Amino acid sequence: MPKEITAFDLVKEMRDVFNKKYTKAATAPGANKELPQDQVVILASIVEREAKKDEDRAVIAGIFIKRLQNGWALEADATVQYVIASKKLSGVSFESLKDFEFWPKNISFDDLKIDSAYNTRKHVGLPPGPIGNPGLASIMAVLNAVETPYWFYLTDNNGQTHFAKTLSEHNQNVERYLRP
């Protein structure tokens, strides 16, 4: 980009690159053509935050799509983190942004109850918009989501994802991998 590029031209260039890459991914053989682009981007933004490893992205995307199709809440912690950070962000000076915790690690039970359309622990369906900027790997994961018997997942403190078919299995994973 030239140093003297205008904000308008920069945004136009970014949008053009996005459209080109998205169109290529969305028209590839096997890509899910049922989800509209805005829903793909919203889901991909959640997958971007939830999946720690590329190989887990399409499985997690598949879990989210299955939950949506069956009227379940997504229950993605990343959306709760987004709500918490958004509330704390108002009033933060530009200078202090370098120290701002955009993705708070500790979520309380009270946080899970925050009434926001972005809180997928409380509300069924997709949030009204993306919670961040998804990478191409997450967009492709949603477009090529893997159908599995899994309904649940968690990521342990070492970045390993553990999948479960039932709530009972998931609760066992919580006890095994997340409790001290």
Side-chain angles (χ1 to χ4, degrees), residues 70-131:
N70 286 274
W72 286 33
L74 294 180
E75 295 190 1
D77 286 348
T79 63
V80 178
Q81 291 173 313
Y82 175 81
V83 171
I84 295 166
S86 296
K87 285 182 173 230
K88 289 180 179 177
L89 192 57
S90 68
V92 173
S93 69
F94 181 76
E95 294 79 27
S96 60
L97 281 178
K98 67 180 175 72
D99 298 320
F100 187 78
E101 187 178 20
F102 284 94
W103 301 103
K105 290 179 180 63
N106 297 319
I107 299 173
S108 71
F109 286 113
D110 286 341
D111 293 334
L112 299 177
K113 298 174 190 170
I114 295 172
D115 192 22
S116 166
Y118 283 89
N119 184 349
T120 62
R121 287 291 200 115
K122 188 172 172 85
H123 297 283
V124 174
L126 291 173
I131 62 166

Side-chain angles (χ1 to χ4, degrees), residues 163-178:
F163 298 98
K165 297 174 190 172
T166 66
L167 181 57
S168 176
E169 287 177 14
H170 178 67
N171 287 337
Q172 289 172 1
N173 284 342
V174 168
E175 288 300 319
R176 186 177 301 135
Y177 300 110
L178 296 182

